[in-house]
Amino acid sequence: MQQAPSIAIDMDETIADPITKAREWYYRDYGKVFSEEELWGRTLSEALPIDHKGKVLEYLNTPGFFRDLPVFPNAQRVLEELNKKYRVYIVSGAMEFPNSLKDKYDWLMEHFPFLTWRQFCLCGDKSLVQTDIMIDDLIRNFTNFRGKPYLFTGHHNVYITGYERILNWEDAAAKLL
């Protein structure tokens, strides 16, 4: 029997939305709301005033920050369907924010109960991941990847070219199911 193809799916800014929460915290702390136009083609850190550049990293390093992130629309339904067709692995460079490890595990178990802990790869360097397909919002994670990369569209990567894109989870369903 032939094994199902494998697919690595990034967590942050693909299925989990840390930027919405970071924007909310920034509003809480400074009263500033960022429009989509202000973020278009930039990371939230790049949009901040120079004297606040470290704020996003401060938020991301706060214990508990990753525990209650919003889920991207349709991610749960589409991942459940993908899990029937592919060997699905959630891959996150979680070691960048060590406080996030337990939060991310608990978040995944809550929002994606059809996945098991064996499908989670919370790592430091995604170059070790060699699946047939990878969905990620950061092209740096495709550098040593030998499978088929899909760039998940986010405000920070809209000007990047040379990759097939996934616009949202409905688009992922259309391309992969």
Side-chain angles (χ1 to χ4, degrees), residues 95-155:
M95 293 309 299
E96 185 176 0
F97 307 106
N99 288 324
S100 75
L101 288 167
K102 178 87 168 91
D103 290 344
K104 288 184 177 205
Y105 173 82
D106 290 343
W107 186 91
L108 285 165
M109 294 303 291
E110 176 184 343
H111 296 290
F112 297 88
F114 50 87
L115 299 175
T116 71
W117 63 270
R118 292 181 184 272
Q119 293 174 277
F120 305 155
C121 180
L122 304 177
C123 60
D125 181 359
K126 290 185 189 177
S127 69
L128 63 94
V129 175
Q130 293 303 327
T131 52
D132 297 306
I133 297 167
M134 181 184 283
I135 300 171
D136 206 305
D137 65 298
L138 297 174
I139 61 169
R140 71 178 183 219
N141 295 316
F142 300 145
T143 302
N144 296 309
F145 183 64
R146 293 186 292 271
K148 169 74 174 154
Y150 285 95
L151 183 61
F152 194 89
T153 297
H155 59 82

Side-chain angles (χ1 to χ4, degrees), residues 9-11 13-16 70-72 75 79 90 107-108 112 169:
I9 300 172
D10 176 47
M11 189 169 174
E13 297 191 63
T14 54
I15 62 173
V71 180
F72 271 73
L79 264 67
I90 305 301
W107 186 91
L108 285 165
F112 297 88
W169 286 104

